[in-house]
Structures are given as C-alpha cells and as structure tokens.
Amino acid sequence: MTALPLADGSTGGVIVTGGGSGIGAAVCRQLAAEGSTVGVLDRNPAAAEQIAEEVGGVALIANVADSAALAAEVQRGAELLGGLRGLVNNAGIGNLKGFESYTDAEINLIFAVNFSGTYSAIRAAAPLMRASGAGGSIVNVASVSGVRPTRGEAPYSAAKAAVISLSQAAALELAPQIRVNSVSPGFIRTPLNEVLAGDDHMRSQIEHGTPLERLGTAEEVSELIVFLLSDRSAYLTGQNLVLDGGSLLNSAQMDSVLGTMLDLYS
Ligand code: NAI
C-alpha cells in the first residue's frame, strides 16, 4: 500500500466529521497510517481529542448541524493542517420508529445532521481545497438505506438518499478541481448499532440476510473511503459505492429482518 498520494502540487490534510467513533475513527487511523495529517471533527470533544491524540492529528469540535460553527472549525482545521486536500462527511444519526411516530423535531434533526451538515461542510471546504493547490477529494458517507429505504428509518433513508444526490450535484459543480463521491455501507458493527449487533438473535438474522454472511467492519469501510480520497481513484467522481456484503441483493429477506428489528426496538 502506497502512502496516501496527494494531488500534484496540492498540500494539506484531511478533515473527517464524526471522526471520534466507529467508521470515522477508522478512517482517521488509516489516513494517519498512510501518511496524511488528519483533522478529527466531532461534536463530542473527548472523543475527538482521544482520536486526534492517537493519530497525531488535530481535534476540531463542532456540531455539523450548526453551519456557522462547522465552517469556522473547517477553516481552523485547514489552517492547522497547512491546507485542505480531503474531507470526509461521516457524522450521522438515525432513529428507528414507525412512519407516523416521527415528530417534526426528529425529522428536522435527522436532516440537519445527515444532509445539511454534509452540504455546509462541502461549501466551507471547497474554496479551501482550491486554495491548497491542485484540488481535492470529498467522500460523503450515505447508506444502503439511501439506496433502498429501510423500514422504521423513513427520515434517515430520505436524508441519505439526499446525500447521494447532493454528492452527484457537487461532483458536477466542483469539477474539475474537486472530486466528490459517496459510500453507502450496509450493516457495519460500530457503537451506532451495537444494540442490534450485540443481540445474538438479531445479528444472526442480519448475517442470514447478507450474502457474505457477516456484518462489515469499520476498517473495511475506511479502506474504500481512503481509496476515494487518494489519487488511486483520480478518474472517479459522482459515484455512490455500496459496501454491504451483498445485502441489497436480498432486499425482501432484509426487509423482513428490519421489520422484526422495528417491532423489537422501536
Ligand atoms: P458512530 O455513532 O459510531 O459514530 C458517529 C460519530 O459522529 C460519533 O463520534 C458522534 O459523536 C459523531 N456525530 C454525530 N452527530 C454529530 C454532529 N451533529 N456533529 C458532529 N459529530 C457528530 O456511527 P458510525 O456507525 O461510525 O456511523 C458513521 C456514518 O456511517 C454515519 O453517517 C452513519 O449514518 C453511516 N452508516 C453507518 C452504518 C452502520 O451500520 N454503522 C451503515 C450505513 C451508514
């Protein structure tokens, strides 16, 4: 594996939102291992500081739903990292409830974090990336739920579908200097879904519905994200890459598993 190649002439590091846990923390670790400097952005200061210390990066603290605070931290991060050449919009939240049970506040919060947080970070980062040299790469973490809605996750599924569409719109408008892609993971074992993954019955149902017969790992998602950040994917933009062990091929079976989950956990 080569060190993370920088675009010709570009300098700077990579900011990872939601970098304090799960997939985001795995991305920070892999970036650092491949020689990139990392800004670990999270709303949880202790988590951001812990991962930043571990990877020799900088901690950036913001709620991605607060666009002014987010833009200020992205700017500060670019200054601390000597420029910006990559951004991973990974911070995300969901909920599991029946369609008619969602309140306006819950729907708005899910969109504010998953969709608006991604938009705001791209808007803040793009001029900084152009200023850093040859350009940059942005990766947005969507979900298989954004490709095929998940029972019990209507606002989350719609927000992730919006992230996929936003990624394509940004790829179109920010080219040729900046590439933008999204990644749509299936079931990945992280603190986000430990309540399901830690339940033996639910886990075996999910495994049964997944052709590769297991949940994915945060490290497997970070491999794909770091590939998309690097020049190894220099001709790839505007794509949504699904990393789900094949679960989307088994939609009917997974829908029944997700129906059970909704009954048990909502
Ligand atoms: P996680 O819960 O382990 O980590 C999420 C991190 O984001 C936490 O450190 C949290 O503090 C931070 N965060 C949450 N809201 C924030 C906000 N408003 N501002 C700043 N930071 C915030 O979650 P995980 O599993 O690592 O998920 C990462 C991304 O992957 C999310 O966008 C999630 O929707 C997506 N995803 C996860 C899947 C899974 O199975 N774990 C499957 C598909 C997508």
Side-chain angles (χ1 to χ4, degrees):
M1 173 86 54
T2 53
L4 186 72
L6 303 180
D8 280 348
S10 72
T11 55
V14 179
I15 291 177
V16 182
T17 75
S21 174
I23 294 168
V27 173
C28 293
R29 291 187 182 105
Q30 190 178 341
L31 282 169
E34 296 201 19
S36 183
T37 48
V38 184
V40 186
L41 191 148
D42 208 286
R43 70 174 168 193
N44 178 340
E49 279 152 20
Q50 189 200 318
I51 301 297
E53 188 179 342
E54 185 188 323
V55 303
V58 298
L60 305 168
I61 316 301
N63 177 350
V64 299
D66 178 342
S67 67
L70 176 61
E73 279 303 81
V74 168
Q75 169 89 41
R76 192 171 74 88
E79 284 161 16
L80 290 170
L81 297 169
L84 194 61
R85 60 155 311 278
L87 169 70
V88 182
N89 286 304
N90 161 78
I93 55 164
N95 209 340
L96 191 65
K97 295 174 90 169
F99 191 94
E100 292 168 45
S101 308
Y102 279 98
T103 64
D104 288 350
E106 289 166 337
I107 296 165
N108 290 338
L109 180 62
I110 288 170
F111 265 81
V113 174
N114 294 288
F115 173 73
S116 304
T118 300
Y119 199 125
S120 307
I122 296 173
R123 191 177 53 199
L128 300 167
M129 285 183 167
R130 286 194 206 95
S132 290
S137 173
I138 296 173
V139 182
N140 301 320
V141 181
S143 167
V144 286
S145 303
V147 178
R148 180 244 324 111
T150 301
R151 194 173 287 276
E153 295 187 336
Y156 177 80
S157 300
K160 291 300 195 183
V163 168
I164 294 169
S165 177
L166 172 67
S167 305
Q168 293 170 344
L172 195 59
E173 295 202 36
L174 302 183
Q177 297 97 333
I178 299 170
R179 296 185 297 112
V180 188
N181 293 286
S182 57
V183 167
S184 285
F187 270 102
I188 310 299
R189 191 158 187 174
T190 70
L192 181 77
N193 57 26
E194 190 52 34
V195 67
L196 301 174
D199 175 325
D200 288 346
H201 175 67
M202 281 316 307
R203 193 178 60 257
S204 78
Q205 292 287 303
I206 295 165
E207 288 167 352
H208 188 59
T210 305
L212 292 186
E213 296 183 344
R214 64 176 177 83
L215 279 69
T217 66
E219 289 70 27
E220 287 169 325
V221 185
S222 86
E223 281 287 345
L224 181 57
I225 292 174
V226 172
F227 167 72
L228 289 170
L229 288 171
S230 79
D231 286 355
R232 301 194 292 271
S233 60
Y235 200 53
L236 215 166
T237 196
Q239 299 304 306
N240 178 54
L241 302 184
V242 174
L243 185 86
D244 71 338
S247 68
L248 274 182
L249 299 172
N250 232 351
S251 289
Q253 188 159 352
M254 282 310 267
D255 188 59
S256 130
V257 173
L258 295 160
T260 313
M261 245 162 58
L262 179 60
D263 291 343
L264 285 175
Y265 291 100
S266 64

